[in-house]
Amino acid sequence: MSTLFEPFLSTSGLRPPLHTPDAPSMADSLPAINFGFEDLRERMARFTDRFDDFIAKGRKRVLEERNQFRINVAELHEDQRTKQKALEQLAQKSSQHSASLSAQAAETAEMHTAIAAITAQRDSHATHRDDLRASISTIQKQIAQRQAAQSEYAKELDAQSRLNVPELDFWETYLGLRIEGAGRQDRLKFVFTNVDEREWDREAWFELDTERREYRVVGCRPKAEEGEVEGVVDRLNESRNLGAFLREMREVFGRTMK
């Protein structure tokens, strides 16, 4: 706003005299001032319109931004719920997977234990089988040895029997030998007479135990020297010659009766 000042109005020559009726008033003598209110009013109106438009646009932008923020927050919440649900599903799957792994580990350990037990049982059976094979082989060897020994013994008995029959007949007929049972299945009693020259009917006897392969004399009358009898029996077991044995036993009794 400006004040217009006109210099020509201030000249005293143009002013009427103050004492005349047509003299101007004091108000008329003041300078005319133009404050520009209309322009100011117009400018204020334009500013008000621009300010209202700015406020309206700002309010609209704030509302739009707030709505967009709410939408974004809702989307974030929904995305968070989705991710949380996905995390829960993953945790559940992880738990199930861990349980499955634990079950598989337990089954694996159980299978290893069963395999170890079966392996130990197999090894034990293999060892037992080998032991049985060794035992069977040993028994078969023993059986073969015994069969061979029995066969040899049978041959010896057969050969001896062919010699013993005529010799025993000779002993019984001419030398007074009598063979009797001794009350047991595997024991024989041999009775001699005509041993004592002073008393021909006096008997001398001994019992021979044939239960085992090694023969033994279990009793005799008259009582002979034990070491001498054992020597005769040992020679019998070595040679299986019964005739020689009877002859030696008769000689033993002859020396005993003297």
Side-chain angles (χ1 to χ4, degrees):
M1 182 178 61
S2 63
T3 304
L4 298 178
F5 178 73
E6 296 178 359
F8 64 88
L9 295 176
S10 64
T11 58
S12 60
L14 298 178
R15 294 179 182 176
L18 296 176
H19 57 274
T20 61
D22 296 328
S25 64
M26 290 295 294
D28 293 334
S29 64
L30 291 176
I33 300 174
N34 184 10
F35 289 97
F37 286 110
E38 293 298 330
D39 181 62
L40 179 61
R41 188 178 296 110
E42 183 180 356
R43 290 170 60 189
M44 288 295 294
R46 288 196 302 270
F47 174 77
T48 301
D49 293 337
R50 289 196 302 271
F51 183 76
D52 292 341
D53 183 65
F54 173 78
I55 294 299
K57 290 180 178 179
R59 183 181 295 111
K60 182 179 180 181
R61 184 171 62 253
V62 168
L63 289 176
E64 291 176 351
E65 290 178 353
R66 184 176 63 183
N67 292 333
Q68 186 63 37
F69 176 76
R70 289 178 178 177
I71 293 172
N72 292 337
V73 170
E75 290 178 352
L76 287 175
H77 287 169
E78 182 64 25
D79 184 61
Q80 183 178 6
R81 284 194 298 270
T82 303
K83 291 181 178 180
Q84 184 66 29
K85 186 175 180 180
L87 288 175
E88 291 176 355
Q89 292 177 352
L90 288 175
Q92 184 178 5
K93 290 181 179 179
S94 177
S95 178
Q96 293 176 353
H97 183 65
S98 299
S100 177
L101 289 178
S102 299
Q104 290 179 359
E107 292 178 358
T108 303
E110 184 177 357
M111 290 178 63
H112 284 307
T113 302
I115 291 172
I118 293 173
T119 303
Q121 187 177 9
R122 182 200 63 189
D123 295 340
S124 177
H125 287 171
T127 302
H128 184 61
R129 178 199 61 197
D130 295 338
D131 293 341
L132 287 177
R133 286 179 176 175
S135 299
I136 290 172
S137 178
T138 302
I139 292 173
Q140 287 176 343
K141 291 180 181 178
Q142 292 176 354
I143 291 173
Q145 292 174 355
R146 290 182 181 180
Q147 287 177 345
Q150 288 177 355
S151 177
E152 186 65 26
Y153 181 59
K155 291 179 181 179
E156 292 178 359
L157 288 179
D158 183 63
Q160 185 66 37
S161 64
R162 289 195 297 269
L163 296 175
N164 288 340
V165 171
E167 189 169 357
L168 285 175
D169 185 57
F170 172 79
W171 280 82
E172 290 176 355
T173 303
Y174 298 100
L175 299 178
L177 174 64
R178 185 174 74 251
I179 301 176
E180 300 175 353
R184 293 181 59 177
Q185 182 177 0
D186 297 323
R187 189 172 296 181
L188 295 174
K189 183 178 181 180
F190 296 86
V191 183
F192 291 101
T193 58
N194 301 329
V195 177
D196 188 357
E197 295 178 355
R198 296 168 297 180
E199 189 178 354
W200 293 103
D201 294 333
R202 183 182 177 185
E203 294 183 352
W205 59 268
F206 68 90
E207 291 184 2
L208 184 66
D209 186 0
T210 60
E211 181 180 3
R212 299 179 179 85
R213 190 175 187 279
E214 299 294 326
Y215 297 157
R216 60 195 182 97
V217 173
V218 296
C220 63
R221 290 291 184 275
K223 185 68 173 179
E225 187 178 350
E226 185 175 353
E228 191 173 7
V229 174
E230 288 180 355
V232 175
V233 174
D234 289 340
R235 286 188 290 275
L236 168 65
N237 289 327
E238 291 176 0
S239 65
R240 317 304 290 183
N241 190 338
L242 184 58
F245 169 69
L246 293 176
R247 184 170 57 253
E248 289 189 52
M249 285 299 296
R250 192 174 192 282
E251 292 174 356
V252 170
F253 284 134
R255 287 191 295 269
T256 302
M257 290 181 177
K258 288 181 178 181

